Amino acid sequence: EIVLTQSPATLSLSPGERATLSCRASQSVGSNLAWYQQKPGQPPRLLIFDASHRATDIPARFSGSGSGTDFTLTINSLEPEDFAVYYCQQRSNWLTFGQGTKVEIK
Amino acid sequence: EVQLLESGGDLVQPGGSLRLSCAASGFTFSNYAMSWVRQAPRKGLEWVSTISGGGSTYYADSVKGRFTISRDNSRNTLYLQMNSLRAEDTAVYYCAKAIWVGEEPKRPFDYWGQGTLVTVSS
């Protein structure tokens, strides 16, 4: 099983700041990595697939990068609605999720 | 508009059974792999099972032999039969749609339902 480790567990930032979230895989997943956003009481929402491709209707302030074992989700200029939990997911060897990074208001 | 509506969640005793349903609309259901993903209270996401449009099935090790995924393409409905339930199966169960058409089961999920809560407790 491929283990995804997300860091940090919590990121405390102010609106307008940049958020940089990390996801590290225990073995290479190529570019087979997605990012999801989840707000309390809601299902996850797909943000990024195949490491760097934004999903439909996702704002340009969200970007993904990386390949192999190290991936980054960047949120430029945080909006109030961006404070949420973010999960990475790999689909190289079945499907596993990271444990999540909470982006909270500082 | 794509909609996924889960139902069937309930309180069940350990060792019991439950069947979840997910009614889909707004897309050609039979063309897409569909999955169940669960989230234990205050925990992260865990993939449970996937079924391709053609009916091939795949399971996480944690549920293999206890859960059965199926679909009725004529009714646009996805199912999850859960047997021999354990306390650790307690979670919100989401159904999720694969982003692309095709038989490949390992896809990102572009639409999710609101989830249905399964509680396993005596």
Side-chain angles (χ1 to χ4, degrees), chain B residues 12-85:
Chain B
V12 61
Q13 292 189 339
S17 298
L18 209 55
R19 188 175 86 153
L20 306 183
S21 300
C22 173
S25 61
F27 64 102
T28 305
F29 182 72
S30 59
N31 286 351
Y32 292 86
M34 297 293 297
S35 299
W36 291 96
V37 177
R38 67 185 180 185
Q39 186 168 35
R42 297 171 299 283
K43 298 293 186 183
L45 301 166
E46 180 188 16
W47 169 72
V48 172
S49 183
T50 294
I51 184 167
S52 71
S56 298
T57 59
Y58 310 87
Y59 299 94
D61 288 344
S62 58
V63 306
K64 201 172 293 182
R66 301 188 299 123
F67 290 11
T68 302
I69 191 171
S70 62
R71 64 193 298 159
D72 184 339
N73 289 338
S74 68
R75 295 177 183 268
N76 291 347
T77 302
L78 175 72
Y79 302 100
L80 186 67
Q81 177 67 43
M82 303 186 294
N83 298 331
S84 303
L85 282 161

Side-chain angles (χ1 to χ4, degrees), chain A:
Chain A
E1 176 183 320
I2 296 178
V3 176
L4 299 178
T5 302
Q6 292 188 239
S7 61
T10 304
L11 198 51
S12 299
L13 295 168
S14 300
E17 291 191 296
R18 172 184 293 179
T20 303
L21 288 67
S22 174
C23 177
R24 178 163 290 178
S26 59
Q27 63 190 79
S28 177
V29 300
S31 295
N32 295 313
L33 192 105
W35 290 93
Y36 298 85
Q37 175 195 68
Q38 188 178 32
K39 298 178 182 178
Q42 295 185 19
R45 173 194 182 197
L46 178 65
L47 300 175
I48 301 287
F49 62 91
D50 289 354
S52 61
H53 297 84
R54 271 190 305 276
T56 303
D57 295 331
I58 300 304
R61 64 181 181 274
F62 291 92
S63 63
S65 63
S67 66
T69 60
D70 290 299
F71 299 86
T72 300
L73 174 69
T74 301
I75 312 171
N76 284 312
S77 189
L78 281 162
E79 297 286 342
E81 62 268 27
D82 298 337
F83 292 91
V85 179
Y86 293 83
Y87 295 95
C88 56
Q89 176 210 33
Q90 66 80 25
R91 64 183 186 94
S92 178
N93 182 1
W94 280 105
L95 300 168
T96 55
F97 292 88
Q99 82 281 14
T101 289
K102 181 179 183 180
V103 179
E104 65 176 22
I105 299 177
K106 187 174 180 180

